[in-house]
């Protein structure tokens, strides 16, 4: 039996998020209906709303979320009604080549992320004859959503939904950009460009990996002031200032890693990241935007530098999300401190404006039921 749910939707690129009521279908085979309690305000959703990244419209926003499994369709084995879950914005089938080789972040089942349609070609959100996709086939900006069982991960009941929502995307994407895709090791020098919701977790990942110097570059004073809380050793407002420090502190060898987690990728930050890395250095690109790599190949060849793209931080969700929760439980990973402000669903546009204004590390929507 279908139900009605309140959700934040975007009907056309450039239009603000609109709060509306949608009809939500029952879960079909291998699907679950989740009652969401919290959803993270990730910059990726803002890219979709602004039209920076292509997405089928209309769409229900949100791909970070945590809640309780309300009901399940036939054949579901991973979770049961009553289980507390967080989402994985890339599903993990466990069967394809990439899942089988420990690269669940590249699971073939994630092919419909920008359409929001289920594998059978149908949608679960509807209104006035229109089908609404869920961002990454999720839609956590809705009180309820039907998602595939491959897209949920069971979590301990004692974990708060607000912090659990962040472990759905921002935390593993940032942490993994340092630890997995980046491969940071003890004693190394790491420079992180952008200290937002992803960059702050790249800082935590680099620190936990044992980096000697964890250098943050961000023009926003508030974010530079917050960076040491999460393990940054040095902060700078500009790439030029960071370069001079890194050159001096490494006796000219420069950084082992540069990780790009800025809000909007652009040419200059790529050039700055390449410049600040030394021989055998790696530039890991996690940001979204329109930047291009315009460097002479000699800049890479002569120093044997590497440029590494990163999706989900190179994390395998079924392995790394529980691992990150364990680090939180042991006090090694800070999650509560990531949340600058909590919002009601009706305040979603305000929350994103606060993010763009540099007021938040991470904002979280708390659903009311």
């Amino acid at each position: 039996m279908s139900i009605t749910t309140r959700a934040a939707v975007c009907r056309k690129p450039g239009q603000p998020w609109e709060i509306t009521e949608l009809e939500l279908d029952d879960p079909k085979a291998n699907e679950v209906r989740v009652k969401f309690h919290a959803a993270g305000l990730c910059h990726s959703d803002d890219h979709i709303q602004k039209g920076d990244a292509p997405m089928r419209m209309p769409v229900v926003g949100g791909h970070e979320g945590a809640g309780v499994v309300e009901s399940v369709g036939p054949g579901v084995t991973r979770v049961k009604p009553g289980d507390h879950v967080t989402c994985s914005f890339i599903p993990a089938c466990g069967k394809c080549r990439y899942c089988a080789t420990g690269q669940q972040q590249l699971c073939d089942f994630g092919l419909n992320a920008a359409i929001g349609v289920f594998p059978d070609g149908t949608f679960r959100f509807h209104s006035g004859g229109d089908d609404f996709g869920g961002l990454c086939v999720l839609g956590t900006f809705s009180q309820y959503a039907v998602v595939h069982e491959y897209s949920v991960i069971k979590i301990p009941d004692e974990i708060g939904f607000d912090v659990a929502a962040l472990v759905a995307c921002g935390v593993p994407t940032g942490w993994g950009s340092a630890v997995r895709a980046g491969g940071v090791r003890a004693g190394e020098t790491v420079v992180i460009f952008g200290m937002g919701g992803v960059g702050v977790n790249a800082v935590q990942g680099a620190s936990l990996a044992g980096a000697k110097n964890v250098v943050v570059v961000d023009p926003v004073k508030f974010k530079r002031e917050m960076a040491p809380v999460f393990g940054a050793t040095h902060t700078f407002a500009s790439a030029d200032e960071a370069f001079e420090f890194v050159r001096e502190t490494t006796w000219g060898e420069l950084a082992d890693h540069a990780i790009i987690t800025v809000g909007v990728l652009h040419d200059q930050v790529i050039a700055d990241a390449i410049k600040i890395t030394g021989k055998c250095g790696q530039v890991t690109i996690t940001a979204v935007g329109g930047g291009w790599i315009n460097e002479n190949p000699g800049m890479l060849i002569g120093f044997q530098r590497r440029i590494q793209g990163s999706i989900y931080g190179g994390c395998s969700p079924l392995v790394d999300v529980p691992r990150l929760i364990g680090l939180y439980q042991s006090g090694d990973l800070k999650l509560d401190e990531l949340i600058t402000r909590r919002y009601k669903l009706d305040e979603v546009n305000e929350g994103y404006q606060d993010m763009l204004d540099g007021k938040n590390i991470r904002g979280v929507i708390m659903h009311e039921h």
Side-chain angles (χ1 to χ4, degrees):
M1 179 177 181
S2 63
I3 63 171
T4 299
T5 182
R6 290 183 80 240
V9 305
C10 187
R11 297 182 184 273
K12 292 181 180 178
Q15 290 187 353
W17 296 104
E18 172 192 335
I19 309 302
T20 189
E21 288 195 347
L22 301 175
E23 182 183 340
L24 178 64
D25 294 339
D26 283 343
K28 296 184 179 181
N30 303 112
E31 298 171 6
V32 303
R33 188 158 68 201
V34 179
K35 179 181 182 180
F36 283 114
H37 288 270
L41 295 174
C42 181
H43 204 140
S44 297
D45 301 89
D46 186 67
H47 284 303
I48 297 297
Q49 180 262 322
K50 295 288 192 301
D52 299 335
M55 178 82 200
R56 177 197 175 274
M57 300 281 181
V59 63
V60 179
H63 64 282
E64 285 186 346
V68 179
V69 175
E70 187 204 49
S71 59
V72 301
V76 172
T77 59
R78 289 196 184 176
V79 293
K80 65 184 184 303
D83 280 351
H84 290 207
V85 296
T86 189
C87 290
S88 174
F89 75 91
I90 295 177
C93 73
K95 304 171 186 176
C96 70
R97 166 189 170 183
Y98 302 99
C99 284
T101 53
Q103 300 177 91
Q104 294 174 359
Q105 76 278 10
L106 298 174
C107 177
D108 286 340
F109 211 78
L111 78 167
N112 290 329
I115 305 172
V117 69
F118 281 78
D120 65 359
T122 62
F123 297 86
R124 301 294 172 268
F125 291 111
H126 314 281
S127 177
D130 291 328
D131 294 323
F132 286 68
L135 206 153
C136 294
V137 204
L138 290 171
T140 64
F141 291 174
S142 176
Q143 294 172 307
Y144 297 85
V146 169
V147 304
H148 200 281
E149 67 170 324
Y150 293 164
S151 296
V152 294
I153 302 167
K154 189 177 184 303
I155 60 173
D157 289 356
E158 64 268 22
I159 301 297
F161 292 116
D162 48 1
V163 296
L166 303 186
V167 183
C169 170
V171 176
T173 298
W175 181 85
S177 294
V179 177
R180 294 282 183 257
V184 174
R185 295 184 178 183
E188 294 185 326
T189 294
V190 183
V191 182
I192 294 147
F193 292 85
M195 231 277 305
V198 173
V200 64
N201 291 294
V203 170
Q204 294 207 81
S207 180
L208 284 169
K212 177 185 177 184
N213 299 305
V214 181
V215 181
V216 165
V217 180
D218 198 298
V220 180
K221 183 180 178 182
F222 164 67
K223 294 184 179 181
R224 294 197 306 274
E225 291 173 344
M226 290 297 295
V229 174
F230 298 94
T233 58
H234 305 83
T235 63
F236 299 94
S238 72
D240 288 343
E241 292 175 288
F243 178 83
E244 292 304 322
F245 166 76
V246 169
R247 181 168 62 178
E248 180 179 350
T249 198
T250 62
W251 295 1
E253 291 184 354
L254 301 180
D256 300 287
H257 299 272
I259 302 171
I260 302 176
T261 52
V262 295
V264 179
L265 185 64
H266 52 87
D267 297 0
Q268 188 59 51
V269 73
I270 297 174
D272 290 338
I274 293 173
K275 177 183 175 182
I276 210 167
T277 55
K279 295 177 181 179
C280 292
Q282 177 169 313
V283 175
T284 302
I285 302 178
T286 302
V288 177
W292 291 91
I293 301 169
N294 293 322
E295 296 294 337
N296 185 304
M299 290 289 289
L300 304 179
I301 298 167
F303 274 18
Q304 201 168 305
R305 291 180 171 107
R306 300 182 302 280
I307 297 178
Q308 174 68 55
S310 171
I311 181 74
Y312 220 129
C315 286
S316 287
L318 295 181
V319 176
D320 287 309
V321 168
R323 178 168 293 172
L324 290 166
I325 290 174
L327 287 170
Y328 167 67
Q329 290 175 310
S330 66
D332 295 300
L333 186 72
K334 297 181 185 297
L335 295 183
D336 298 281
E337 295 85 348
L338 295 173
I339 303 172
T340 312
R341 184 178 165 189
R342 294 164 178 82
Y343 300 86
K344 296 179 180 180
L345 181 62
D346 297 307
E347 298 172 320
V348 59
N349 289 300
E350 179 184 350
Y352 272 116
Q353 191 59 53
D354 285 346
M355 180 199 73
L356 294 171
D357 290 342
K359 296 180 180 179
N360 289 349
I361 297 296
R362 199 53 138 200
V364 175
I365 289 173
M366 302 303 296
H367 284 292
E368 298 176 318
H369 291 277

